[in-house]
Amino acid sequence: MKRVGVVVFPGSNCEYDARFAMETLGVAAELVWHTRTDLSSFDGIILPGGFAHGDYLRPGALARFSPVMKAVAEFARDGGAVLGICNGFQVLTEAGLLPGALQKNVGLKFLCQETTLIVTSNASVLTSGAALDQELIIPINHFSGAYVCDDETYARVNDSGQIVLRYRENPNGSRGDIAGLANERGNVVGLMPHPERAMSTLLGSADGRVLLESFVASYVAA
Amino acid sequence: MNYFVIVDVTLREGIADPEGATIERALPALGFSGVHDVKAGKSFRMNIEADSQGAALEKATSLAERLLSNPVIEDARARLGEVHAQ
């Protein structure tokens, strides 16, 4: 992967962290305003954290209708690597690119803390370079991070290895301790934790690197 | 015709409602006892131009399913309001 587009919605606030993380890994990253409709110059797309469109209505509900999302859907359909972090994960579920939804945390707490994640599948662009059962310390920072889906959907994503990351200790009431989820092909991944904020031991953890390095390698294990 | 329509969006049965639960837990502290099953939701009000009540409700239901609610976790119900909004 040579060039990543980091989509910026009105209210996004982690786009610079995402760009910095990509540049740290030697990949050119460009901020892409949400009205843009041509993503053909990119090898990967990141939907960053924040509060797209103020999170009005529901997180991601209005971002889904931003002009760029049609291009993101086409990019994903053509097999391109798409990563939604935090608010970006919420946008991907609202847009129907990932199943389920993200609901308010149990206990109505805004959570800003380190969490320990377990890699439970490496069949995705985000986890292909990580070892199964590998533990990663990565921070979360969200109010609506409890993953919700019906029984049928849960069985499907569980059986097909789409649940790529789980919390060791569930902080938010997420179903099945889900922290990160991929689509069937593994090229679209969403996660609530922030790997782009875990790029340096000096700042707490460098465990986000193995995930973003996988994303940059853009490889999906069969 | 202009129809005043109210759309209620509520969490689907079985979906955790931390907001409703928190409100319910706060009530005894204010002296309200015997209040159970508090559910939080949203209500949207709008005027809709349509040829009939049925058409107005159909339009409201459609936009509620497309935008106002997330069908994975929420139900939306449109109903006619009693008064026309100014």
Side-chain angles (χ1 to χ4, degrees):
Chain A
M1 192 178 285
K2 287 182 182 153
R3 192 166 193 81
V4 170
V6 180
V7 175
V8 183
F9 298 98
S12 295
N13 63 17
C14 298
E15 66 270 32
Y16 293 99
D17 290 352
R19 183 172 71 177
F20 179 77
M22 285 297 109
E23 287 170 353
T24 302
L25 299 178
V27 175
E30 186 186 322
L31 302 184
V32 176
W33 187 235
H34 73 117
T35 53
R36 196 160 144 181
T37 53
D38 178 12
L39 300 174
S40 57
S41 57
F42 300 112
D43 310 310
I45 295 293
I46 295 178
L47 305 184
F51 301 85
H53 296 274
D55 272 1
Y56 291 149
L57 204 53
R58 297 178 305 281
L62 300 175
R64 171 193 166 195
F65 295 105
S66 274
V68 75
M69 287 309 295
K70 198 168 166 240
V72 171
E74 283 165 11
F75 190 87
R77 190 198 57 209
D78 294 342
V82 176
L83 172 62
I85 301 169
C86 196
N87 192 223
F89 185 13
Q90 296 163 338
V91 174
L92 288 174
T93 58
E94 282 283 340
L97 292 172
L98 290 173
L102 290 142
Q103 158 69 319
K104 294 180 182 74
N105 297 339
V106 158
L108 278 191
K109 280 203 177 71
F110 188 98
L111 297 168
C112 182
Q113 64 196 53
E114 276 188 346
T115 55
T116 302
L117 308 178
I118 302 168
V119 177
T120 49
S121 165
N122 45 25
S124 81
V125 282
L126 191 69
T127 51
S128 58
L132 276 182
D133 300 325
Q134 187 175 349
E135 295 199 351
L136 305 171
I137 294 172
I138 295 183
I140 56 170
N141 186 14
H142 63 246
F143 184 66
S144 292
Y147 183 78
V148 176
C149 66
D150 58 31
D151 295 345
E152 193 188 323
T153 305
Y154 184 79
R156 193 178 73 237
V157 296
N158 191 40
D159 294 347
S160 59
Q162 288 174 245
I163 302 172
V164 296
L165 295 165
R166 295 190 205 250
Y167 300 107
R168 197 174 66 186
E169 287 162 44
N170 194 331
N172 56 18
S174 199
R175 179 161 196 182
D177 308 324
I178 291 177
L181 185 74
N183 66 347
E184 224 166 303
R185 289 166 76 182
N187 65 312
V188 178
V189 188
L191 78 169
M192 288 312 296
H194 286 270
E196 83 283 16
R197 294 187 195 173
M199 293 294 288
S200 155
T201 47
L202 199 62
L203 299 174
S205 168
D207 289 355
R209 275 177 175 264
V210 65
L211 298 179
L212 294 179
E213 278 166 359
S214 301
F215 178 70
V216 165
S218 192
Y219 167 75
V220 184
Chain B
M1 268 296 275
N2 222 7
Y3 294 94
F4 179 49
V5 176
I6 300 171
V7 176
D8 296 310
V9 175
T10 51
L11 286 167
R12 287 175 62 172
E13 205 57 44
I15 301 290
D17 178 9
E19 220 168 343
T22 303
I23 292 165
E24 187 169 326
R25 276 200 306 276
L27 290 172
L30 297 171
F32 295 102
S33 62
V35 183
H36 307 292
D37 304 322
V38 176
K39 304 284 178 206
K42 291 177 197 156
S43 161
F44 301 88
R45 287 140 196 271
M46 61 204 77
N47 283 308
I48 295 183
E49 280 175 35
D51 295 333
S52 68
Q53 289 189 357
L57 286 175
E58 200 174 314
K59 197 170 188 174
T61 302
S62 169
L63 70 88
E65 284 169 358
R66 183 101 194 281
L67 178 62
L68 300 183
S69 69
N70 179 345
V72 176
I73 51 171
E74 295 168 323
D75 286 324
R77 187 169 297 159
R79 59 190 163 96
L80 285 170
E82 301 222 333
V83 288
H84 286 266
Q86 293 302 307

